[in-house]
Amino acid sequence: MQDVGQSYLEELNEIQRNAVTATKGPVMVIAGPGSGKTRVLTYRIAHIINQGVPPWEILALTFTNKAAKEMKERIEKVVGTGAQRVWAGTFHSLFAKILRREAHKIGYPNDFTIYDTDDSKSVINEIIKSLNLDKKVYNNGAVRARISAAKSNLITPKAYVNNEELMALDRMNRRPLIYQIYEKYAAKCLRAGAMDFDDLLLQMFRLLYQNPDGVREKYQQQFKYVMVDEFQDTNVLQYSTVKLLVDYPGSPQNICIVGDDAQSIYSFRGATIENILMYQSDYPNVQTFKLEQNYRSTSFIVEAANEVINNNKRQIPKKIWTDKGEGEKIKVIKAMTETEEGKRIADSIVEHKNRYNLRNSEIAILYRTNSQSRVFEEQLRRSNIAYRIYGGLSFYQRKEIKDLVAYMRLSVNDKDDEALKRIINYPKRSIGKTTIEKISKLADDNEMSMWQVLAQIDFGPRAKKSIGDFVQLIKSFKQKAVTQDAYELATFIARKSGISELLKSDTSPEGEGRVENANALLDAVKEFVDDDELIDGEEVQEKSMSVFLQSISLMTDADKDEENTDVVTLMSVHAAKGLEYKSVYVVGLEENLFPSFMSLSSPDQIDEERRLFYVAITRAEEYLTLSFATSRYQYGNARYNDPSRFLEELGQTNIDSLMSISKEKPSFGTPKVLGNFKKLGPQKVPALGIDPGDFKASPATKIKEGMTVIHLKFGQGVVKTVDERLVATIFFDGLSDSKEKRIMLKYAKLQILD
């Protein structure tokens, strides 16, 4: 073991040093954002080793392999190669390591298989089929999410069926037999000698709880020191398992948890903030250390974060501070539409790069839902700014988007074989892989398109009906494409193809995200159809599907520079946790979006949304820009939302903005509305008092110079000129950027006021 003395302690501030050297008994380290949490955790392990504790007696549980790897590398710099023998890793990886030794004691083989998501889906599909259940009702994603949630809360199949609350909820959701699927799934996995990812946690708990051959005492004696990183993200099952290792008669209870209740944002994955809030009750003799100095952000950002999080009722009190100076005040951008929001963010990024000499890689755009990325991707491309989607696909590369676009492509070009291959059996219509390969080969051999093969070749009786139904479906789309605009066709395709019903049947968080993405695509089509403004003097083209597809082809076909790491990062706030950037843009700060409309019925969920906003703003080191749009396309309609309540909570002294962002506080009783491809009811335009549902556009030929008109997107304006092509120049006083718009009246939706 390398003897380096204790010089590493000199790198720590007083509170950090106290947390590192308090090695006996239960310890809680509350680590604010940018407070040196990782350094404290790793130096604490190094300090314990330097006191003579063998590395293999230390268990350090993390949530990512990256965090575990970084932890070992840092420890090694202090204590040498012995760091590699510390049991540091994710809950799943370390519990799997133990189960590889001990699983036979609870009925599994030690060389058990670990099922991935596809394996689990396949098993569940078999069970649903064997029970003759409706696959649309018992959607695979929703069923898997339900089983996963049960396991995360220590609910076995036997406990599930005896839990009246769970059973009542299943009956309400028209899935009363989920308990049977869970029973059969658990039995099938056991027979197959397989565990899914949740089982790695559940079976570890079972191993320790049932304690065959004294296995619990064995690991209690081995792990004399237990540490848990990001403790606020633990679920009931994880904490219960840790307590089995730590709590026993005569235990020194050398458990140290590190986390921040203000950054607890993963309840949708089963994490519970109760674990960290109740930790002091579980261990009354706990030593608590609060890391309150922020080394990341400037004063205005830190103070704004404090102001925001103070609105949460249940929390561990702390006051984050920094000595990095005041820095720049927080900028707030108000836009009329999401397109204007995207454009102004792109313009601001160009300004930041020039004024502050920032690289693209020092800039991030954070949003509440992944479906918001589309408008920013488009505007960044137009501004020639390199970007990447972090932790996810570019909007137009997501499966649900490519599937819908493939139907759109085939509706205007039946020679598009790639589009046909993608969706001929999606949603499933009993056209197997062998049949598709046969169609493709016949097309190649006869130099025909696959569509021509479908129309001319007589298939066997089994495939004939399925292919015939598909051909008729596409023909109906082709007919609509001739007479309808792009949005009317897109909504028709989403509904008639079965994609809408298929996507909305998956009520898991991932499934709801796919619905949001598909709705965002429909909103993009709607915006394309409604956009009647001339661009650079060019005439507006027809609002057909072929023109829309052409407009997005640059988004889908643009070459990717995989080597370019100097890119602006776009990501959801959830994905941004633990990261930091010099300049951060938090966008879409509107009621119903951030906070999410799904959270508005519960104070606890609003608190979690506020913690999510807290995480978002504390990613910024020097420059923080917040934005919102007063109108936004959602589910095909222009929605008019108030600014987010969180903007009001920032504290005006921290904001570089003269505009008022105050509003009436919304109640928690706002009804939950899920889009699922359905149009929402009309929304009032607050500034104009107009109901879009009652709005009546005046005939283009009636609009003359000098008239006052109203446009749902641009507001009230005065017609300055109208030329012989019926192109009008209109002055809209309410716009924040260029107030004059040139609009082709043929496509404009203007109502004459006088």
Side-chain angles (χ1 to χ4, degrees):
M1 187 177 300
Q2 182 176 323
D3 183 10
V4 294
Q6 297 189 354
S7 59
Y8 55 91
L9 295 177
E10 297 172 7
E11 301 176 27
L12 306 172
N13 66 36
E14 183 180 358
I15 299 295
Q16 291 174 331
R17 189 161 51 250
N18 291 341
V20 164
T21 56
T23 59
K24 302 299 182 183
V27 171
M28 177 166 69
V29 180
I30 300 300
S35 62
K37 167 182 73 73
T38 304
R39 174 175 288 187
V40 167
L41 189 61
T42 54
Y43 281 14
R44 190 174 193 275
I45 295 171
H47 189 69
I48 292 171
I49 294 172
N50 273 341
Q51 289 184 318
V53 176
W56 54 88
E57 292 185 357
I58 301 170
L59 176 67
L61 296 160
T62 70
F63 277 85
T64 66
N65 289 311
K66 179 183 175 184
K69 183 173 181 288
E70 181 183 356
M71 188 185 299
K72 284 188 174 182
E73 288 172 350
R74 289 195 181 194
I75 299 168
E76 189 170 347
K77 289 179 180 177
V78 179
V79 302
T81 56
Q84 295 304 315
R85 302 191 69 183
V86 172
W87 278 60
T90 65
F91 280 88
H92 291 87
S93 65
L94 294 184
F95 288 1
K97 185 176 178 179
I98 293 173
L99 287 166
R100 289 289 180 206
R101 301 175 178 178
E102 314 288 354
H104 65 280
K105 295 175 181 176
I106 52 172
Y108 285 85
N110 286 355
D111 58 349
F112 59 87
T113 299
I114 298 177
Y115 275 173
D116 63 14
T117 301
D118 288 340
D119 296 322
S120 296
K121 287 171 68 173
S122 178
V123 173
I124 289 172
N125 278 335
E126 286 178 17
I127 296 169
I128 291 171
K129 185 177 180 180
S130 71
L131 292 173
N132 295 315
L133 300 175
D134 187 339
K135 289 190 292 186
K136 293 177 182 177
V137 176
Y138 286 88
N139 172 267
N140 193 299
V143 172
R144 283 189 298 114
R146 196 80 173 134
I147 292 172
S148 176
K151 291 180 179 179
S152 295
N153 284 283
L154 264 178
I155 299 171
T156 62
K158 185 177 181 180
Y160 194 106
V161 74
N162 292 321
N163 188 312
E164 182 51 38
E165 185 179 347
L166 291 177
M167 297 293 286
L169 187 58
D170 287 344
R171 289 193 294 270
M172 186 180 72
N173 290 325
R174 299 189 303 122
R175 301 188 189 107
L177 298 182
I178 278 186
Y179 77 94
Q180 277 194 33
I181 300 174
Y182 186 13
E183 285 176 347
K184 290 181 178 293
Y185 178 74
K188 267 182 169 287
C189 288
L190 182 59
R191 283 198 305 272
M195 299 186 196
D196 63 20
F197 291 117
D198 294 311
D199 282 326
L200 295 176
L201 306 181
L202 183 62
Q203 300 307 329
M204 178 66 185
F205 175 86
R206 183 178 157 218
L207 174 72
L208 297 176
Y209 184 77
Q210 294 182 352
N211 195 28
D213 299 332
V215 69
R216 184 168 68 228
E217 288 79 12
K218 172 183 174 181
Y219 287 100
Q220 286 172 342
Q221 291 306 308
Q222 176 175 338
F223 300 128
K224 295 187 169 58
Y225 292 84
V226 176
M227 277 167 258
V228 185
D229 191 16
E230 302 288 5
F231 187 73
Q232 76 282 346
D233 296 335
T234 55
N235 59 33
V236 170
L237 174 55
Q238 288 163 324
Y239 187 26
S240 298
T241 306
V242 168
K243 290 174 79 172
L244 285 177
L245 289 170
V246 172
D247 295 347
Y248 55 90
S251 168
Q253 294 188 323
N254 293 331
I255 176 174
C256 172
I257 62 109
V258 181
D260 182 5
D261 59 298
Q263 297 185 67
S264 177
I265 59 173
Y266 291 120
S267 66
F268 67 93
R269 293 182 187 169
T272 172
I273 194 173
E274 297 298 325
N275 287 351
I276 194 167
L277 292 179
M278 299 304 293
Y279 185 78
Q280 289 173 300
S281 299
D282 293 341
Y283 298 96
N285 60 329
V286 63
Q287 298 181 72
T288 300
F289 303 93
K290 297 180 182 179
L291 308 184
E292 296 174 304
Q293 182 174 359
N294 180 294
Y295 292 93
R296 176 187 300 153
S297 308
T298 51
S299 176
F300 285 122
I301 295 170
V302 169
E303 285 304 316
N306 283 329
E307 294 264 7
V308 167
I309 205 62
N310 282 342
N311 287 274
N312 275 10
K313 300 294 186 290
R314 299 181 66 212
Q315 59 177 296
I316 299 171
K318 57 185 170 300
K319 174 76 172 176
I320 307 302
W321 62 277
T322 184
D323 60 5
K324 290 191 68 175
E326 284 191 336
E328 297 275 336
K329 284 194 172 186
I330 298 167
K331 303 288 193 300
V332 178
I333 292 176
K334 174 184 178 181
M336 299 289 287
T337 66
E338 71 262 49
T339 301
E340 184 192 350
E341 181 186 32
K343 183 178 185 302
R344 293 187 64 186
I345 294 296
D347 290 345
S348 177
I349 287 174
V350 172
E351 179 189 356
H352 272 203
K353 289 176 63 178
N354 293 333
R355 177 181 294 183
Y356 305 121
N357 197 29
L358 296 182
R359 299 188 304 276
N360 287 331
S361 58
E362 296 175 311
I363 302 169
I365 299 174
L366 310 183
Y367 33 72
R368 177 63 182 83
T369 65
N370 285 314
S371 61
Q372 291 171 255
S373 74
R374 174 189 62 84
V375 69
F376 299 102
E377 291 186 61
E378 293 175 359
Q379 295 300 330
L380 290 174
R381 283 187 183 277
R382 287 171 181 160
S383 298
N384 200 29
I385 299 172
Y387 71 89
R388 66 165 177 164
I389 305 292
Y390 181 95
L393 292 171
S394 173
F395 181 81
Y396 287 103
Q397 293 301 313
R398 292 169 182 148
K399 180 185 183 300
E400 57 273 20
I401 302 304
K402 291 174 75 100
D403 292 336
L404 259 176
V405 168
Y407 272 104
M408 296 174 187
R409 284 164 49 182
L410 203 59
S411 72
V412 299
N413 176 19
D414 58 28
K415 294 184 177 63
D416 190 337
D417 285 355
E418 292 306 309
L420 188 146
K421 283 190 285 188
R422 184 175 187 91
I423 47 85
I424 188 172
N425 195 40
Y426 179 80
K428 290 187 182 301
R429 48 177 66 91
S430 302
I431 303 175
K433 184 178 179 182
T434 303
T435 302
I436 297 171
E437 289 173 350
K438 178 182 176 182
I439 296 167
S440 181
K441 187 174 188 307
L442 284 169
D444 289 341
D445 291 347
N446 293 279
E447 297 184 351
M448 302 165 66
S449 71
M450 292 177 68
W451 176 257
Q452 289 173 304
V453 172
L454 295 183
Q456 295 182 25
I457 304 299
D458 188 18
F459 293 89
R462 185 174 181 182
K464 188 172 183 179
K465 183 179 187 307
S466 297
I467 290 175
D469 290 345
F470 175 71
V471 168
Q472 290 306 311
L473 180 70
I474 300 303
K475 281 184 176 179
S476 72
F477 296 162
K478 288 163 66 66
Q479 290 168 358
K480 294 283 186 184
V482 175
T483 59
Q484 294 188 332
D485 67 32
Y487 180 68
E488 292 168 330
L489 176 59
T491 52
F492 184 76
I493 286 173
R495 186 173 68 255
K496 290 295 186 180
S497 67
I499 289 180
S500 167
E501 186 177 2
L502 180 65
L503 291 180
K504 70 181 182 181
S505 67
D506 184 352
T507 56
S508 67
E510 295 80 9
E512 290 178 355
R514 285 187 282 272
V515 169
E516 288 178 350
N517 290 335
N519 280 325
L521 175 64
L522 298 185
D523 290 339
V525 183
K526 177 67 169 172
E527 186 176 14
F528 162 80
V529 169
D530 286 353
D531 188 2
D532 43 39
E533 181 185 358
L534 293 179
I535 300 174
D536 297 331
E538 294 295 323
E539 292 193 24
V540 173
Q541 301 182 70
E542 295 294 329
K543 302 300 185 178
S544 65
M545 179 58 73
S546 61
V547 177
F548 172 75
L549 291 172
Q550 179 182 324
S551 74
I552 67 169
S553 64
L554 292 176
M555 308 297 169
T556 55
D557 296 335
D559 293 332
K560 290 186 176 180
D561 182 3
E562 300 292 351
E563 300 301 316
N564 185 9
T565 57
D566 186 28
V567 291
V568 173
T569 301
L570 280 69
M571 71 180 102
S572 70
V573 182
H574 282 102
K577 189 165 174 289
L579 303 176
E580 56 189 49
Y581 297 87
K582 279 194 175 179
S583 179
V584 169
Y585 294 83
V586 186
V587 299
L589 283 163
E590 299 136 39
E591 291 292 309
N592 300 310
L593 184 54
F594 200 176
S596 162
F597 66 85
M598 296 175 69
S599 70
L600 299 183
S601 60
S602 164
D604 286 343
Q605 290 182 22
I606 285 291
D607 280 358
E608 176 149 337
E609 291 285 300
R610 185 175 285 109
R611 293 194 294 270
L612 190 60
F613 181 56
Y614 177 85
V615 167
I617 61 181
T618 54
R619 299 311 94 198
E621 297 175 10
E622 297 181 29
Y623 313 107
L624 177 60
T625 306
L626 312 175
S627 68
F628 66 97
T630 56
S631 70
R632 183 179 298 274
Y633 276 103
Q634 288 180 293
Y635 317 119
N637 282 346
R639 292 284 304 261
Y640 297 86
N641 296 323
D642 282 332
S644 170
R645 68 189 73 192
F646 302 148
L647 289 171
E648 200 175 342
E649 296 171 356
L650 290 165
Q652 287 295 320
T653 57
N654 302 310
I655 299 174
D656 182 11
S657 173
L658 298 177
M659 57 171 247
S660 172
I661 52 176
S662 63
K663 61 186 185 308
E664 291 185 14
K665 292 261 187 192
S667 71
F668 289 115
T670 307
K672 176 180 177 180
V673 182
L674 283 174
N676 295 339
F677 294 96
K678 296 178 182 176
K679 290 186 178 181
L680 299 180
Q683 304 290 315
K684 286 251 180 176
V685 183
L688 307 176
I690 300 171
D691 191 325
D694 297 330
F695 180 84
K696 302 294 182 186
S698 303
T701 54
K702 300 286 187 183
I703 297 173
K704 308 294 182 185
E705 293 180 12
M707 285 184 171
T708 301
V709 294
I710 278 187
H711 187 282
L712 282 178
K713 180 176 176 182
F714 302 135
Q716 183 171 310
V718 176
V719 181
K720 296 182 69 175
T721 62
V722 180
D723 66 20
E724 67 279 2
R725 299 176 303 158
L726 292 184
V727 174
T729 301
I730 304 177
F731 182 87
F732 292 99
D733 188 55
L735 293 185
S736 56
D737 57 354
S738 174
K739 295 179 183 295
E740 281 193 6
K741 299 288 182 187
R742 294 186 69 220
I743 291 178
M744 182 171 279
L745 296 179
K746 176 182 177 183
Y747 298 113
K749 295 177 178 64
L750 295 165
Q751 181 176 331
I752 299 171
L753 288 186
D754 54 8

